[in-house]
């Protein structure tokens, strides 16, 4: 007969304890043969009953959500897939016809590569992979409308008017008052749709952030180039990574074991970021129930309001008056994900895509195992 | 470092002519002093028509150069 631990004990088991100088109980222990007499074999129905997803924020380019009840290995797999394996479009080749600016060609090309692009999801899904031809392999051949997008950048800096040069000689230094086109931004990259791209892309391909400064120029300098953007993954180069941030942290916990009152409560609240600890008046009911609160009704008491916002700085453990009154920790199976898209995917879709990719990988392993056994 | 190759421009638009070719062709230079553009033919004195400065800079080629954005 398997032993069934109480809910409270289960909670304690998955609590990472954060002490003044050490972190303990960090490893997971919900696997078979760890707890004598208990069955911890993995079970889909049990997982389904325990697993929860909670969205804290879901904006297009910024999502924050909690995954509760899964193992670190899985959560980390999602994070790594988000960063390195979801395909996006990025500038790969730069053809420079003219560049007399002070930025060297290769530096300029590198800069252009890092500019995040955006377009309609449908068009990006339709794009296929481009493989560069080598001597022994012809790759995917010439870049075509279905595997490469072309953008143009043409700019020349001039004096603003005939008198500008005289103003410069007189000591004027504000470039806005002297030159035309003195700063070239990402928005100056213009998409040149070709072939089927005209129908497949509902929204034009463009840099996500129009105001990224690419080059500064002075009169007489000129840039004339076109670039090819292809699909790639973050493993190949960071410019293909679809996320600016994809990270998780564990849910912090703050347990106040003995009441913290009055001035101490105010000082305690200051040990945490705003909104984590709040002050409440001790009610009559509490005062009559708890021995420590006897005769303290009306006094201010520290209460934990929003532990999620805590940075777990452990500041409160440095003060001797709080040392024995508070316990800090983290919940080992509560992952607070933060996903910030660079513009080609919606942040929530990105996560779903990472789930899809992990599934595909698992199926590949399964097929491999089947082939090995049978 | 990034790899690069100097490839021939297939569209062939106004690729600058070699300097030593036909003596009739003129090449554009930039004056080192007054920044004016100077057209020079073969055998002409190297001198700016605008200010008489004797240092002229050769201009960058119009040929296309291909780079990897990495």
């Amino acid at each position: 007969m398997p032993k069934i631990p109480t809910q409270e004990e289960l909670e304690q088991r998955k609590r990472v304890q954060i002490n003044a100088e050490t972190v303990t109980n960090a490893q997971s222990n919900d696997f078979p043969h760890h707890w004598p007499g208990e069955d911890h074999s993995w079970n889909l129905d049990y997982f389904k009953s325990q697993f929860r997803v909670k969205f804290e924020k879901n904006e297009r380019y910024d999502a924050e959500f909690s995954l509760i009840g899964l193992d670190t290995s899985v959560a980390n797999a999602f994070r790594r897939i988000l960063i390195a394996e979801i395909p996006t479009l990025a500038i790969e080749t730069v053809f420079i016809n003219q560049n007399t600016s002070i930025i060297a060609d290769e530096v300029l090309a590198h800069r252009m590569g890092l500019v995040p692009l955006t377009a309609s999801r449908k068009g990006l899904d339709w794009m296929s992979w481009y493989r560069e031809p080598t001597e022994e392999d012809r790759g995917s051949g010439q870049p075509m409308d279905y595997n490469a997008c072309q953008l143009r950048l043409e700019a020349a800096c001039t004096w603003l008017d005939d008198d500008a040069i005289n103003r410069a000689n007189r000591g004027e230094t504000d470039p806005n008052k002297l030159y035309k086109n003195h700063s070239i931004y990402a928005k100056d990259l213009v998409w040149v749709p070709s072939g089927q791209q005209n129908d497949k892309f509902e929204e034009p391909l463009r840099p996500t952030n129009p105001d990224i400064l690419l080059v500064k120029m002075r009169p007489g300098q000129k840039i004339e180039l076109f670039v090819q953007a292809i699909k790639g993954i973050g493993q190949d180069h960071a410019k293909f990574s679809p996320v600016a941030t994809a990270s998780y942290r564990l849910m912090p916990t703050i347990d106040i074991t003995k009441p913290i009152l009055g001035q101490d409560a105010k000082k305690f609240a200051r040990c945490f970021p705003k909104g984590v600890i709040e002050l409440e008046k001790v009610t009559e009911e509490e005062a009559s129930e708890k021995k420590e609160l006897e005769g303290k009704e009306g006094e201010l008491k520290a209460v934990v309001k929003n532990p999620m916002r805590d940075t777990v700085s452990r500041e409160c453990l440095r003060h001797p008056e709080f040392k024995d009154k508070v316990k800090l920790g983290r919940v080992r199976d509560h992952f607070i994900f933060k996903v910030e898209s660079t513009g080609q995917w919606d942040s929530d879709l990105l996560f779903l895509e990472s789930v899809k990719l992990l599934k595909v990988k698992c199926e590949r392993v399964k097929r491999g195992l089947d082939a090995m056994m049978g | 470092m990034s790899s690069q190759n100097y490839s021939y421009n297939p569209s062939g638009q106004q690729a600058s002519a070699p300097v030593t070719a036909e003596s009739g062709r003129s090449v554009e230079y930039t004056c080192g002093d007054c920044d004016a553009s100077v057209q020079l033919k073969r055998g002409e004195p190297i001198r700016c028509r605008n200010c008489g400065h004797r240092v002229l800079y050769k201009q960058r080629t119009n040929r296309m150069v291909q780079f990897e954005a990495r």
Side-chain angles (χ1 to χ4, degrees):
Chain A
M1 185 65 196
K3 218 162 61 182
I4 294 168
T6 61
Q7 196 58 38
E8 197 186 351
E9 194 183 344
L10 283 177
E11 288 299 318
Q12 274 315 308
R13 280 182 190 174
K14 59 189 184 192
R15 202 49 83 72
V16 178
Q17 286 142 16
I18 296 174
N19 317 312
E21 266 111 28
T22 54
V23 175
T24 51
N25 198 28
Q27 275 188 339
S28 61
N29 47 39
D30 51 344
F31 46 80
H33 306 306
H34 187 90
W35 301 98
E38 289 175 25
D39 178 28
H40 280 284
S41 53
W42 201 82
N43 179 301
L44 184 61
D45 292 323
Y46 180 74
F47 175 79
K48 274 184 183 166
S49 72
Q50 295 295 304
F51 182 66
R52 276 186 301 138
V53 179
K54 208 173 111 209
F55 267 91
E56 321 291 345
K57 180 160 132 196
N58 188 12
E59 282 160 28
R60 192 163 180 205
Y61 297 145
D62 190 1
E64 197 173 1
F65 52 87
S66 293
L67 302 183
I68 309 162
L70 79 171
D71 194 67
T72 313
S73 52
V74 184
N76 194 44
F78 289 141
R79 184 188 64 83
R80 292 182 59 160
I81 291 173
L82 275 169
I83 293 170
E85 289 173 45
I86 296 179
T88 63
L89 206 65
I91 293 170
E92 171 70 357
T93 332
V94 181
F95 300 90
I96 300 182
N97 278 323
Q98 190 57 275
N99 169 28
T100 48
S101 75
I102 55 163
I103 300 227
D105 289 8
E106 52 267 62
V107 179
L108 178 63
H110 175 244
R111 266 180 96 70
M112 313 259 294
L114 296 170
V115 173
L117 302 173
T118 186
S120 70
R121 191 68 252 136
K122 209 181 128 202
L124 294 167
D125 282 338
W126 165 77
M127 295 274 292
S128 61
W129 302 89
Y130 171 73
R131 270 187 315 122
E132 209 174 326
T134 55
E135 269 163 35
E136 54 274 21
D137 176 23
R138 61 181 299 273
S140 52
Q142 285 280 309
M144 301 299 270
D145 59 347
Y146 52 79
N147 60 18
C149 285
Q150 208 180 81
L151 295 109
R152 250 174 201 293
L153 175 65
E154 264 159 36
C157 181
T158 50
W159 291 99
L160 193 62
D161 51 60
D162 292 340
D163 188 45
I165 193 162
N166 298 323
R167 266 178 281 148
N169 287 336
R170 282 198 299 272
E172 175 63 67
T173 52
D174 183 356
N176 287 319
K177 292 177 185 161
L178 294 174
Y179 324 114
K180 232 188 280 177
N181 280 339
H182 59 83
S183 296
I184 307 304
Y185 296 97
K187 62 182 169 227
D188 297 315
L189 274 167
V190 196
W191 180 42
V192 190
S194 65
Q196 298 174 69
Q197 285 172 11
N198 288 300
D199 314 322
K200 301 285 182 184
F201 282 76
E202 284 151 348
E203 289 163 55
L205 178 71
R206 60 173 179 86
T208 316
N209 313 95
D211 291 331
I212 299 172
L213 183 64
L214 294 176
V215 199
K216 284 194 174 190
M217 297 206 293
R218 284 300 175 259
Q221 297 180 352
K222 194 172 151 193
I223 284 182
E224 200 179 296
L225 54 83
F226 66 95
V227 300
Q228 263 165 9
I230 62 163
K231 218 158 135 171
I233 57 171
Q235 257 166 5
D236 180 30
H237 193 286
K239 68 186 173 188
F240 291 118
S241 184
V243 288
T245 314
S247 65
Y248 61 74
R249 61 198 176 100
L250 295 178
M251 176 71 161
T253 58
I254 303 159
D255 296 314
I256 299 175
T257 50
K258 283 180 206 152
I260 299 170
L261 300 164
Q263 277 311 111
D264 270 4
K266 280 187 186 163
K267 188 177 173 188
F268 185 70
R270 279 203 304 274
C271 293
F272 294 89
K274 255 193 191 142
V276 176
I277 301 289
E278 244 158 56
L279 302 178
E280 269 175 21
K281 279 198 175 131
V282 179
T283 59
E284 264 178 58
E285 205 180 317
E286 281 177 311
S288 58
E289 266 174 25
K290 280 192 190 154
K291 225 179 83 194
E292 299 111 315
L293 291 173
E294 227 177 283
K296 306 267 177 145
E297 57 250 43
E299 262 191 64
L300 286 176
K301 181 183 79 149
V303 247
V304 180
K305 197 80 188 170
N306 185 6
M308 181 177 274
R309 291 283 142 235
D310 187 20
T311 53
V312 200
S313 65
R314 307 192 216 187
E315 170 69 10
C316 63
L317 299 179
R318 295 179 63 232
H319 301 278
E321 59 264 53
F322 304 135
K323 229 160 77 188
D324 305 316
K325 293 184 174 176
V326 64
K327 270 206 157 113
L328 298 182
R330 301 195 105 134
V331 186
R332 198 190 299 118
D333 68 346
H334 184 147
F335 299 91
I336 306 167
F337 267 82
K338 190 162 175 63
V339 178
E340 286 174 33
S341 164
T342 53
Q344 276 180 41
W345 300 74
D346 290 0
S347 297
D348 48 349
L349 287 183
L350 261 177
F351 182 74
L352 294 181
E353 187 70 15
S354 78
V355 176
K356 208 159 98 191
L357 281 178
L358 184 61
K359 213 169 146 185
V360 169
K361 287 176 152 218
C362 292
E363 272 156 10
R364 197 183 304 144
V365 169
K366 243 168 111 180
R367 274 203 307 278
L369 282 175
D370 285 347
M372 202 165 75
M373 303 310 251
Chain B
M1 263 318 280
S2 65
S3 68
Q4 62 200 65
N5 61 64
Y6 296 84
S7 68
Y8 172 65
N9 179 2
S11 52
Q13 353 152 328
Q14 0 101 17
S16 64
V19 190
T20 48
E22 315 143 54
S23 54
R25 287 276 187 86
S26 67
V27 180
E28 201 171 292
Y29 295 86
T30 308
C31 172
D33 193 27
C34 69
D35 214 26
S37 87
V38 184
Q39 307 274 342
L40 282 188
K41 281 192 190 126
R42 201 176 171 194
E44 274 186 338
I46 298 165
R47 192 143 202 227
C48 173
R49 292 197 186 85
N50 191 24
C51 64
H53 196 66
R54 287 187 187 276
V55 176
L56 299 182
Y57 290 103
K58 196 170 193 314
Q59 286 188 342
R60 184 195 157 126
T61 169
N62 269 325
R63 283 210 198 135
M64 185 176 70
V65 196
Q66 181 184 340
F67 289 90
E68 259 182 9
R70 277 170 192 259

